[in-house]
Amino acid sequence: MRPERLERRALRIVQNEAAPLYLFALAAEEVDFVADVARISRDEAGKLIGYQRPEKRSHVRQILEYLDSGEVLFPNGLILALPDTVRFKSSRGPTTTDGLATAGTLTIPLSADPDGPRPAWIVDGQQRSLALAQTKNTRLPIPVAGFVADTLELQRDQFLRVNTVSPLPVNLVTELLPEIVSAPSSRLSARKLPSALVDMLNRDPASPFHNLIKRASADPAARKQLVVTDNSLVEALKESVESPSGVLFPYRNIAAGTTDTEGIRRVLLVYWTAVRDTFPEAWGQPPSKSRLMGGVGIRAMGRLMDRVMAHVDASDADALAQTKIELARIAPLCHWTQGTWPELRLSWNELQNMPRHISALSNLLVRSYLNARNAAR
């Protein structure tokens, strides 16, 4: 039977009054009943839960082999998000603190039920924790850094910041960004709004991208029907939101820090629905069968969006019909699923998601569209 609480000698370091940091040790076998992994997924309502990527079994196996090998030096500890129910009691005496850290005892409440919830969450070290739960070296002392975080938002924020040295999968970072208050860097901050828009496009039943976008939280069983990489769509929207010539740029009031998300939603739904209706045979297919759904197609059509939607009022009742008329100007030269792009001297399946091909295709579509529109005047 598990104890009701775990007491460990610890050092208390105050870097942030709102979230004190504790340094202590756990035996390898204790990690499993103190901390759990918050896997990234979505609940039935579509709300994002968790933040951790799936485990890497080969990595876990390598760590486990080392832990069971005999003489072990395991300085790479764990970072845990602790509940606000932990208690720290400083030791008595004049040498308790050196001005930087205070020595004392940390008490962590536990659940007596082996299947009950763990009090802490693993922010960094999930592969190590999985190996520690299986090692024969059960009493191996493991260094732990824990901070009090009673909100999932704070845990996600720290998770992204901690993992900036060892890069996380881009799609995992992208999906987490809208869920945190402040992005860890200016580069990630620029992706926050586009990522939220991609999430909207994926979840909105009125969107042509509904349930077609690959996100880190996607159910593995449903991945076969997900054909659009979220990073490509995020980059396409990021260009339009950030560039003064982008059609989405005016919807942001940079001075006031506000965004007309409903206006952006109208533009995106009108344009991409028109794209789907203009190229029905290419829509919804995996990139191996349709380059429209691959990164090269999404990025190029995203740049064309800035030109096309400059001539369409998305709030008009006939906005979709107008957009289809505009896209019809370039439809005959597109070869998403078969044939050859003569101007590019590439067959349809030779187009790749690389900067050179994205630029070449974007320039072709925009140039052809503008020429066709000028000729029609």
Side-chain angles (χ1 to χ4, degrees):
M1 185 175 180
R2 294 182 179 179
E4 295 182 354
R5 60 184 179 274
L6 189 67
E7 293 185 352
R8 284 288 177 269
R9 298 291 291 171
L11 289 177
R12 183 177 188 268
I13 299 175
V14 180
Q15 299 172 331
N16 181 338
E17 289 288 349
L21 179 68
Y22 300 103
L23 305 180
F24 57 100
L26 290 174
E29 64 182 352
E30 294 172 339
V31 172
D32 184 47
F33 59 80
V34 169
D36 206 348
V37 176
R39 299 279 184 217
I40 186 168
S41 59
R42 290 187 181 272
D43 61 19
E44 293 181 358
K47 180 176 176 57
L48 190 68
I49 55 178
Y51 46 85
Q52 289 274 14
R53 57 191 142 178
E55 66 179 271
K56 294 181 180 179
R57 294 183 180 180
S58 61
H59 190 188
V60 173
R61 185 171 59 254
Q62 290 173 355
I63 298 173
L64 180 60
E65 289 174 354
Y66 174 68
L67 290 171
D68 291 342
S69 65
E71 294 296 326
V72 176
L73 179 63
F74 201 73
N76 295 328
L78 307 175
I79 299 179
L80 303 184
L82 301 170
D84 58 6
T85 52
V86 299
R87 294 293 178 264
F88 179 80
K89 184 177 181 180
S90 61
S91 302
R92 296 180 179 179
T95 59
T96 296
T97 180
D98 60 1
L100 296 177
T102 301
T105 300
L106 182 69
T107 302
I108 306 173
L110 300 177
S111 171
D113 182 2
D115 298 322
R118 277 77 158 179
W121 294 98
I122 294 173
V123 173
D124 184 57
Q126 70 150 322
Q127 316 295 343
R128 277 163 273 156
S129 70
L130 293 171
L132 290 167
Q134 303 173 50
T135 183
K136 299 174 184 177
N137 198 353
T138 58
R139 297 306 298 174
L140 178 70
I142 304 301
V144 176
F147 61 93
V148 175
D150 54 359
T151 66
L152 189 59
E153 289 72 21
L154 179 56
Q155 294 177 29
R156 285 172 174 154
D157 178 84
Q158 290 299 313
F159 176 68
L160 289 182
R161 294 178 190 278
V162 165
N163 285 280
T164 54
V165 175
S166 178
L168 294 165
V170 177
N171 65 334
L172 175 60
V173 175
T174 297
E175 190 169 4
L176 287 174
L177 281 175
E179 304 294 330
I180 65 175
V181 176
S182 176
S185 67
S186 58
R187 179 181 63 84
L188 292 180
S189 180
R191 294 172 64 87
K192 188 172 179 179
L193 173 60
S195 180
L197 295 174
V198 167
D199 190 46
M200 177 275 294
L201 289 171
N202 193 44
R203 296 172 58 189
D204 191 337
S207 166
F209 287 106
H210 184 228
N211 288 340
L212 290 180
I213 302 174
K214 296 179 184 177
R215 307 235 73 180
S217 63
D219 184 346
R223 284 188 176 274
K224 290 185 179 180
Q225 70 184 39
L226 308 179
V227 296
V228 178
T229 302
D230 60 354
N231 294 324
S232 297
L233 194 50
V234 166
E235 287 300 322
L237 300 186
K238 178 173 172 286
E239 287 186 3
S240 186
V241 166
E242 291 192 333
S243 172
S245 61
V247 70
L248 301 182
F249 183 83
Y251 291 90
R252 295 176 62 205
N253 186 329
I254 298 177
T258 59
T259 302
D260 179 5
T261 52
E262 181 55 33
I264 291 178
R265 176 182 178 273
R266 284 196 300 269
V267 172
L268 295 178
L269 293 189
V270 167
Y271 177 74
W272 288 105
T273 298
V275 172
R276 179 197 63 189
D277 294 350
T278 302
F279 306 105
E281 75 291 342
W283 193 263
Q285 298 292 328
S288 60
K289 295 183 178 180
S290 170
R291 288 300 194 258
L292 174 61
M293 308 308 288
V296 63
I298 294 294
R299 294 290 300 280
M301 291 301 290
R303 291 174 180 176
L304 182 63
M305 175 182 71
D306 292 331
R307 301 292 183 165
V308 169
M309 297 308 290
H311 302 288
V312 177
D313 185 346
S315 62
D316 283 352
D318 63 344
L320 179 58
Q322 293 178 36
T323 307
K324 289 181 183 179
I325 292 173
E326 297 298 319
L327 288 175
R329 302 181 193 278
I330 54 93
L333 65 86
C334 294
H335 300 278
W336 301 118
T337 61
Q338 60 182 353
T340 299
W341 297 79
E343 299 85 349
L344 302 178
R345 298 181 181 179
L346 294 171
S347 63
W348 73 275
N349 57 359
E350 287 179 325
L351 278 176
Q352 302 297 323
N353 186 26
M354 59 177 66
R356 179 164 57 89
H357 284 187
I358 292 172
S359 294
L361 182 59
S362 301
N363 291 339
L364 172 63
L365 293 177
V366 170
R367 184 175 65 253
S368 300
Y369 170 72
L370 295 178
N371 290 340
R373 206 168 195 286
N374 290 333
R377 288 179 178 178

